[in-house]
Amino acid sequence: MHVLLELLKKEVVPAEGCTEPIAVAYAVSLAAEQLEGEITSIQLWLSGNIIKNAMGVGIPGTGQTGLPIAATLGAVVKRSDKKLEILSGLSQEQVQQANVMIDHKLLEVQLKDTSEKLYIEARVHSRGQTATAILAKSHTNLVFLSKDGKTLYPENGAAGYEADESSKAVEDRGSVDEIYEFIRTVPFEDIRFLLDGVRMNKAISDEGLAGSYGLQVGKRMSQQSTVNIFGNDLASGIIAATAAASDARMDGSPMPVMTTAGSGNQGIACTLPVIALAKRLGKDEELLARALALSNLITMHIKDYIGRLSPLCGSGIAGGTGANSGIIYLLGGSLDQIKHGIQNTIASLSGMICDGAKSTCALKIATATNAAMQAATLAMNDISPTSNDGVIFDEVEDTIRNMERLVKEGMGATDATILNIMLSKGGMMGGGEL
């Protein structure tokens, strides 16, 4: 199997709810499944990025936000085999059980002193028993599992932080040139599965447009009234459809989303503009699948450099740039024009920070979608910034690599500052302690 096809199959997967709190629920469930009897306490040690992205987001099927309800539900449902869909189909009884655990103050959350951006350590206690599960580097990458001091995983007994297979393949994800060649030549049947994401992400977009989720960014942009200055043009419709999906997801809709590189919002940002444009242009399923393969792979390529979790907004920067590439491909653009589009989009969005997962993600995705279409329009007219312009270099791969420098060299304290600002407001843990 071609490495890029393998990556698509591993990195484009369904999830229900924001992936950071869902990953916490998954870790707690892994530990709780090892125990017998009633759970007496849950201790979490989490990296700052996990806390930042889990504090203000709605948890599907609960009407609640934050880490506490996600973590305690992991102990209640005990179905780690569902991974990122672990909280699907919750019953009210399960939600009530989880809230009882919160009310009885069985949950303790602490910030882990670690350089690892994605780190979740869950230690769960019952009477006379203790189990620990550790995830690192990616949302479902189990690196350690133990019960009563006996290591269950890995079998050699040593906890480690080896990346899972998708992370190990980072160096093989190729350049923009290689991605473009792949999406043009891969047999359609091999990438037809991407159309499952079309149905899934379109459904939650429609839900967001019809309902009253979050800030209602997409819904209000789509409505024609005297207070909507966006009009009823193609661009406004695409922005509204994309933002609406994030509105619904961030406000706790129980509908699944097809994720990209560990994030549902990235999946929304890089696919829905392409899906909406393809429908308006009457493009067939094969062209749409190839455009989606391009948008997803470009998103992953950029994420390789800015990080799985980052002080930069992955949905805006990586997802928006991926969408831009898919849009240009649908418009019949060349490889050079796709590169122009990447340069244009990064020039526009490179400073967008991530201040956690919450309702305003829909605003950032709307901004990124607008930037992607603006950048595509310039690219189709062969317009692109040059090395005279900010962080842009003449070669597109050098520009993408600059995103890594921006994160590592320029934004070392940004995550900590954002988290401190968020925590200073109080009550952000949704009832838990930090």
Side-chain angles (χ1 to χ4, degrees):
M1 183 186 298
H2 194 290
V3 66
L4 293 178
L5 178 58
E6 185 178 2
L7 284 167
L8 281 173
K9 291 188 173 183
K10 288 179 178 177
E11 295 276 35
V12 181
V13 296
E16 185 173 311
C18 180
T19 45
E20 278 71 57
I22 300 305
V24 172
Y26 173 61
V28 172
S29 186
L30 283 166
E33 287 167 353
Q34 312 308 316
L35 306 179
E36 299 173 359
E38 182 180 354
I39 301 299
T40 57
S41 67
I42 302 168
Q43 296 171 293
L44 296 175
W45 288 268
L46 308 174
S47 59
N49 288 78
I50 291 292
I51 295 174
K52 182 182 74 172
N53 282 3
M55 286 168 60
V57 68
I59 305 302
T62 69
Q64 298 171 240
T65 62
L67 274 167
I69 189 64
T72 52
L73 277 169
V76 170
V77 300
K78 297 181 182 179
R79 51 183 181 192
S80 63
D81 59 299
K82 295 289 187 179
K83 293 191 174 181
L84 295 182
E85 295 180 282
I86 187 172
L87 298 187
S88 61
L90 291 172
S91 69
Q92 283 306 301
E93 181 182 0
Q94 289 171 326
V95 175
Q96 290 170 3
Q97 290 174 6
N99 276 307
V100 167
M101 298 175 77
I102 295 172
D103 292 341
H104 289 174
K105 300 187 183 302
L106 302 187
L107 175 67
E108 178 186 356
V109 182
Q110 298 184 49
L111 178 65
K112 179 72 174 182
D113 183 12
T114 175
S115 61
E116 185 61 61
K117 297 295 186 182
L118 197 163
Y119 181 92
I120 300 169
E121 180 176 346
R123 187 170 301 165
V124 183
H125 305 266
S126 65
R127 298 193 185 281
Q129 294 183 323
T130 300
T132 300
I134 299 176
L135 308 179
K137 293 192 181 294
S138 67
H139 295 81
T140 58
N141 185 36
L142 178 68
V143 298
F144 181 73
L145 182 65
S146 71
K147 178 183 178 182
D148 296 333
K150 179 181 179 181
T151 299
L152 305 177
Y153 181 86
E155 293 182 0
N156 63 14
Y161 297 95
E162 287 298 318
D164 62 7
E165 291 182 9
S166 61
S167 298
K168 288 178 181 177
V170 164
E171 64 187 27
D172 299 320
R173 290 186 178 181
S175 63
V176 173
D177 291 56
E178 291 165 337
I179 291 169
Y180 179 73
E181 179 63 20
F182 166 76
I183 66 100
R184 289 177 61 249
T185 57
V186 62
F188 172 44
E189 289 304 316
D190 287 351
I191 56 171
R192 183 185 286 275
F193 72 93
L194 294 174
L195 299 178
D196 294 337
V198 173
R199 291 180 282 273
M200 191 175 294
N201 290 359
K202 177 68 165 55
I204 197 168
S205 172
D206 291 343
E207 176 70 10
L209 290 169
S212 297
Y213 292 95
L215 299 180
Q216 302 178 46
V217 179
K219 181 177 182 177
R220 296 306 172 186
M221 285 189 65
S222 68
Q223 292 179 337
Q224 297 307 299
S225 69
T226 56
V227 294
N228 182 1
I229 63 175
F230 284 92
N232 192 29
D233 58 19
L234 174 60
S236 295
I238 292 173
I239 295 170
T242 307
S246 182
D247 281 323
R249 180 172 180 268
M250 292 292 95
D251 202 30
S253 168
M255 300 181 72
V257 168
M258 190 64 78
T259 68
T260 301
S263 166
N265 270 345
Q266 280 169 192
I268 287 168
C270 81
T271 64
L272 272 166
V274 179
I275 293 165
L277 180 61
K279 181 179 179 181
R280 290 290 292 268
L281 297 179
K283 301 300 184 181
D284 62 28
E285 287 190 338
E286 179 173 349
L287 188 62
L288 174 56
R290 295 187 186 281
L292 289 172
L294 177 62
S295 63
N296 276 287
L297 287 168
I298 293 296
T299 300
M300 294 176 205
H301 187 41
I302 295 171
K303 284 292 290 182
D304 288 346
Y305 292 97
I306 68 175
R308 200 78 169 188
L309 296 179
S310 169
L312 292 177
C313 177
S315 302
I317 299 170
T321 307
N324 166 266
S325 297
I327 287 168
I328 293 172
Y329 189 77
L330 286 178
L331 294 174
S334 66
L335 174 59
D336 283 343
Q337 287 169 325
I338 288 168
K339 290 180 178 180
H340 291 336
I342 293 171
Q343 301 274 46
N344 291 333
T345 311
I346 290 176
S348 178
L349 297 173
S350 58
M352 184 180 284
I353 64 166
C354 171
D355 56 341
K358 69 288 181 223
S359 293
T360 55
C361 288
L363 287 171
K364 297 192 179 192
I365 286 175
T367 298
T369 304
N370 181 72
M373 292 186 293
Q374 173 184 281
T377 301
L378 294 176
M380 292 300 293
N381 286 279
D382 298 316
I383 296 172
S384 174
T386 69
S387 59
N388 293 325
D389 301 308
V391 299
I392 304 301
F393 277 27
D394 287 333
E395 294 296 327
V396 69
E397 296 297 337
D398 291 333
T399 297
I400 293 171
R401 277 190 287 271
N402 285 341
M403 294 300 95
E404 182 177 38
R405 288 190 61 189
L406 186 60
V407 169
K408 290 186 175 180
E409 299 177 26
M411 307 186 77
T414 303
D415 270 330
T417 301
I418 291 170
L419 182 59
N420 287 335
I421 291 171
M422 293 170 70
L423 291 172
S424 72
K425 292 186 282 187
M428 287 292 293
M429 292 301 292
E433 300 291 335
L434 182 66

